[in-house]
Amino acid sequence: MNHSQAFDPSLHEPGSAAAQGRCSHHAGSDADCAGDAVVSFQAGEGRWESGCSLALEQLVESGDIEPLGQGA
């Protein structure tokens, strides 16, 4: 399970979609996206990504991250 927390733009690469408060999880895909980032989470290789509210639901359901407020 990957580390996650409430969205924090300082965790993301400057100038990236995530640092600008957009959902990087859905970027470049045809998936539905709820827009603004609400969660920051570590993806592969320790890279931080951001997710909208829909991405948060999807990631929790798939077991990739814990619901916000549930982790250590």
Side-chain angles (χ1 to χ4, degrees):
M1 191 162 293
N2 296 318
H3 179 74
S4 63
Q5 64 182 59
F7 176 68
D8 180 351
S10 70
L11 296 172
H12 304 281
E13 184 177 329
S16 67
Q20 295 171 19
R22 298 193 318 265
C23 175
S24 65
H25 180 71
H26 288 128
S29 75
D30 292 333
D32 290 332
C33 182
D36 294 337
V38 297
V39 64
S40 293
F41 63 96
Q42 282 188 303
E45 301 159 7
R47 181 184 75 255
W48 283 93
E49 289 193 27
S50 60
C52 63
S53 58
L54 181 58
L56 174 59
E57 288 179 35
Q58 294 168 338
L59 291 163
V60 168
E61 283 181 14
S62 67
D64 291 325
I65 64 174
E66 292 183 349
L68 291 179
Q70 300 294 314

